[in-house]
Amino acid sequence: MSEVPEVRPPMVTPVRVVIAICLIAPFVATLWVGSYARTGPEFIGIPFFYWYQMLWVLISTALTMTAYQLWQRDQRARAAQKGGASK
């Protein structure tokens, strides 16, 4: 009897690339200080340097939530493909 090798889905998929971009973008945006190291333009009296960082807190939250939802969908699809039950 010969055993049929298990076919595994690829590890790098377009969904996983989008997840990686969602998680890496906030780091790049906030660690690249030269892009926002200035005072203007001001927003309701707050210098650009500060409101840019505060805005990225909100953007990071949305991107992390998106990455999590995509990851959950990817895991459910992989479990269904293997024939297992998803949690």
Side-chain angles (χ1 to χ4, degrees):
M1 285 169 85
S2 66
E3 292 184 25
V4 178
E6 181 181 337
V7 177
R8 299 177 73 196
M11 295 302 291
V12 178
T13 62
V15 172
R16 288 185 175 196
V17 171
V18 170
I19 291 169
I21 291 170
C22 285
L23 295 175
I24 292 172
F27 288 103
V28 172
T30 55
L31 290 176
W32 184 21
V33 179
S35 68
Y36 62 93
R38 57 183 186 269
T39 56
E42 291 185 0
F43 176 69
I44 60 171
I46 301 171
F48 179 75
F49 181 80
Y50 295 111
W51 69 258
Y52 177 84
Q53 292 177 65
M54 288 187 287
L55 181 64
W56 269 103
V57 170
L58 299 175
I59 294 170
S60 297
T61 302
L63 289 173
T64 302
M65 287 174 25
T66 301
Y68 178 75
Q69 293 297 322
L70 289 171
W71 180 257
Q72 290 297 318
R73 186 182 339 163
D74 184 58
Q75 293 303 307
R76 283 192 302 270
R78 284 176 180 264
Q81 190 176 31
K82 284 173 50 173
S86 63
K87 291 184 179 181

